[in-house]
Amino acid sequence: MINFQHSLPAPIMTATASSHAKSPRRRLRTVGFTAVIVAGLLLVSTFANVAMNQAERSATAPYGQRVQTSHGALNVVRAPGNGRTGQSIVLLSGLGTPAPALDFAPLVRELGDYDVVVVEGFGYGYSDQPPVERTVENITSELHEALANADVPRPYVLAGHSIAGFYTLAYANRYRNDVAAVIGIDPTVPAARTIHADETGVPTGGINWEGLIATSGLLRWATTLAPSLVEPDGTAYTSRERDQMRKMATWNFGNPSVLDETNRIADNARKVQGMRYPDDVPVLTFVASAKETPADLALHESRLQNVRKHETVTLPGGHYLHWTHAPAMASTINAFLTTNTPGAR
């Protein structure tokens, strides 16, 4: 007589145990195959991206003039057609802007009566990417050297967007006789929050994830699918400018110079936190209504209390005011400089 009670469960238990034993191995194989496929795709994407970068660079005419400094060549772009007869206005971009001269194009066009100069810092536009620390001291000395070597007449007006507010502040204190006035385009205020001692160190090592994203081609594919990730808002740019800005975003994103500057934000902020603009330097500040809070506006004003001639103008919109408000900004700049720097024109 067969005892089903004892004989039937045995094969079932064996089969179940066997399936449980094989399941982790199957999952490992699946993970392994997936990893190999992803790695292969990334490798193909990286090679394709490098080839496309080289082809694009060869087919795209660079703009500007490369001006030598002690640390390498900076790309300096001067607006054509104005005969250099107007007051010189030097434009400095915000952090990580891939192509500053193109980014400022609408404002440059509106400032046609002035000698407009865009200086692209190291790691930006067509400038070099030297292994030089992006300290506020180096950035301001490089700018001073480039403007002198490019024969930009002094005194000039410094106009800085975003993080360049640190550099215009330091520059006006360091090279006072060279500065006729300062214009801030939603500039970063170094006292916007308390800077703790443990935040002023410069991070070192680690993985440059931004650089990997750019090199692998992931940024290229993302911006191809969603151009708005890197293209400016508004209708003030030509299709050629938009196309070149999109390309240069893939070339310059995550480069070592910009990464070093990013890592030094807290340290550079500490260095300029106690500074104020000299009393006799006129300062015009544009602030973005969508970004600045009443407390931030108060901080802007508090840092200008000693300045005899200053004006703060709030414009609707986001941080990149020059994308959509170039005509209004140019009109305000012209009125401010005409009133406050008549001897400099």
Side-chain angles (χ1 to χ4, degrees):
M1 180 178 177
I2 301 174
N3 187 344
F4 289 98
Q5 183 177 0
H6 295 288
S7 61
L8 288 175
I12 294 174
M13 290 176 64
T14 303
T16 302
S18 175
S19 65
H20 281 303
K22 292 178 180 178
S23 181
R25 287 198 292 271
R26 290 196 192 99
R27 285 197 293 269
L28 285 173
R29 287 197 202 99
T30 302
V31 171
F33 287 140
T34 303
V36 170
I37 292 171
V38 170
L41 290 174
L42 284 174
L43 190 62
V44 171
S45 175
T46 299
F47 280 115
N49 182 60
V50 171
M52 293 176 74
N53 278 352
Q54 292 175 343
E56 287 173 350
R57 286 177 181 272
S58 298
T60 304
Y63 53 75
Q65 171 194 3
R66 287 170 58 80
V67 177
Q68 284 298 137
T69 71
S70 300
H71 296 156
L74 288 174
N75 196 50
V76 177
V77 184
R78 299 182 82 164
N82 59 14
R84 312 264 195 270
T85 57
Q87 168 72 58
S88 295
I89 300 178
V90 179
L91 294 173
L92 308 174
S93 73
L95 182 68
T97 302
L102 299 178
D103 186 76
F104 281 126
L107 185 56
V108 172
R109 283 191 280 268
E110 294 293 335
L111 292 170
D113 292 334
Y114 294 88
D115 175 20
V116 184
V117 183
V118 182
V119 179
E120 298 183 328
F122 286 127
Y124 295 79
Y126 282 99
S127 293
D128 289 345
Q129 299 175 16
V132 179
E133 295 176 346
R134 299 292 79 217
T135 62
V136 68
E137 295 90 350
N138 283 340
I139 290 171
T140 52
S141 64
E142 291 156 2
L143 174 60
H144 187 257
E145 194 175 357
L147 292 174
N149 291 344
D151 295 322
V152 176
R154 299 173 295 174
Y156 32 71
V157 176
L158 288 182
H161 174 234
S162 192
I163 198 67
F166 287 5
Y167 313 137
T168 58
L169 178 57
Y171 197 99
N173 279 275
R174 190 175 182 182
Y175 305 107
R176 168 63 193 93
N177 293 335
D178 292 354
V179 179
V182 172
I183 300 168
I185 304 173
D186 208 31
T188 303
V189 181
R193 63 182 179 85
T194 302
I195 302 170
H196 300 287
D198 59 356
E199 294 179 319
T200 58
V202 180
T204 56
I207 299 174
N208 181 359
W209 293 106
E210 292 88 349
L212 289 176
I213 289 172
T215 303
S216 67
L218 293 178
L219 179 64
R220 175 183 294 279
W221 315 134
T223 56
T224 299
L225 295 172
S228 60
L229 290 173
V230 292
E231 287 190 13
D233 297 332
T235 59
Y237 293 86
T238 67
S239 57
R240 186 199 65 80
E241 288 167 347
R242 289 180 175 276
D243 179 63
Q244 190 164 357
M245 290 169 78
R246 188 169 58 250
K247 290 175 182 175
M248 294 183 72
T250 66
W251 304 348
N252 288 334
F253 184 75
N255 70 70
S257 294
V258 173
L259 179 63
D260 187 78
E261 184 182 0
T262 303
N263 288 339
R264 293 180 187 276
I265 288 177
D267 191 50
N268 284 335
R270 175 185 58 78
K271 293 174 181 178
V272 300
Q273 190 174 26
M275 290 184 183
R276 298 292 184 271
Y277 282 107
D279 298 356
D280 58 343
V281 174
V283 180
L284 170 63
T285 306
F286 294 102
V287 294
S289 64
K291 175 177 172 288
E292 305 292 347
T293 66
D296 290 329
L297 291 174
L299 280 171
H300 280 291
E301 285 294 325
S302 69
R303 298 186 68 83
L304 296 173
Q305 288 179 353
N306 65 297
V307 178
R308 293 195 288 270
K309 299 176 181 178
H310 72 270
E311 182 179 350
T312 300
V313 178
T314 301
L315 294 174
H319 187 44
Y320 287 80
L321 293 170
H322 50 285
W323 288 357
T324 53
H325 293 290
M329 291 174 65
S331 177
T332 303
I333 289 169
N334 183 62
F336 183 82
L337 295 182
T338 299
T339 301
N340 296 297
T341 60
R345 293 196 65 187

